[in-house]
Amino acid sequence: MSLSTVHSTLSSLKTCLTDIGTGMDIVTDVALDVAETAGSENDAVLKKLELMMLECDIAVTQSEVNFTCPLTQVEMVNPMKNRKCNHHYDRDAITGMIKARQNQKKKLRCPVVGCGNTDVKQGDLILDQIMKRQIQKRETTEARFWSTPTHQS
C-alpha cells in the first residue's frame, strides 16, 4: 500500500470523525431543546433519550475529550461551547475574559492555539450539558475509585 493511499484513507477517516461530531452536536442541541420545552408527561421518554445521547456521545468522543479549560488550564466546571469554532472554555473564565476585553474596547480571540475565531462573544456561547455530565460522571467515578480501601492511606 502506498503512502498516498494511507494519507488519503486517514484524511477520509478524519472527515468522517468531524461529520460524526457535527451530527452529534446537532442531535444533542435538538434533543436538549425538546427536553427543555416538553411537559412532564414525557419525562420518562426524555430521560431515556438523554441517557442514550450521553452514552452515544461518550462513545464517539471518548478518545478526544479534553476537560481542561484553555484559559485556566484546570478542569472545567461549567463548560461553555463556542458555536462558531466548537471550542470549550469554563464559563467563569471565558465570561471574565470577554468582559475584560470589552472594557478595553478590544475583541477576544479564541484562546485555543491555531483557532481562527478572532471574536469570541457571549452570544456565541452555550452551556454544554453533555460535557458537564461527562465531567460529573468522571468525578464521581474517580471519587469512588479513591474511596476504596485499597487506595486509602
Side-chain angles (χ1 to χ4, degrees):
M1 186 182 296
S2 71
L3 185 59
S4 63
T5 303
V6 171
H7 180 67
S8 174
T9 303
L10 283 174
S11 294
S12 295
L13 288 172
K14 286 179 183 177
T15 301
C16 287
L17 182 61
T18 301
D19 292 345
I20 290 170
T22 301
M24 285 301 301
D25 288 344
I26 292 168
V27 169
T28 300
D29 288 344
V30 169
L32 288 172
D33 287 346
V34 168
E36 289 172 1
T37 59
S40 60
E41 66 275 359
N42 294 324
D43 279 352
V45 174
L46 292 173
K47 287 288 182 197
K48 187 174 181 178
L49 174 64
E50 183 179 26
L51 283 173
M52 287 174 25
M53 285 173 30
L54 182 59
E55 288 170 8
C56 190
D57 194 47
I58 289 171
V60 169
T61 60
Q62 189 172 7
S63 63
E64 61 184 78
V65 172
N66 183 358
F67 299 128
T68 304
C69 174
L71 291 164
T72 63
Q73 296 300 307
V74 296
E75 189 172 271
M76 292 179 273
V77 176
N78 293 301
M80 301 296 287
K81 180 178 178 178
N82 189 321
R83 288 187 272 187
K84 282 189 176 176
C85 61
N86 291 323
H87 290 127
H88 290 84
Y89 333 95
D90 190 69
R91 180 180 58 206
D92 292 343
I94 194 67
T95 55
M97 284 295 293
I98 290 171
K99 288 175 185 169
R101 296 298 283 183
Q102 284 174 342
N103 289 341
Q104 298 170 350
K105 308 265 190 262
K106 294 182 179 180
K107 294 179 180 179
L108 174 63
R109 178 181 199 88
C110 177
V112 175
V113 176
C115 182
N117 185 359
T118 59
D119 191 14
V120 176
K121 296 178 183 173
Q122 184 77 33
D124 295 330
L125 304 175
I126 54 170
L127 180 63
D128 191 331
Q129 294 285 0
I130 300 295
M131 183 178 275
K132 185 171 183 170
R133 287 185 191 105
Q134 289 173 322
I135 292 168
Q136 290 168 341
K137 184 175 181 180
R138 183 172 153 214
E139 289 171 350
T140 303
T141 303
E142 286 177 0
R144 272 193 235 129
F145 174 80
W146 289 109
S147 67
T148 58
T150 358
H151 294 98
Q152 291 178 345
S153 306

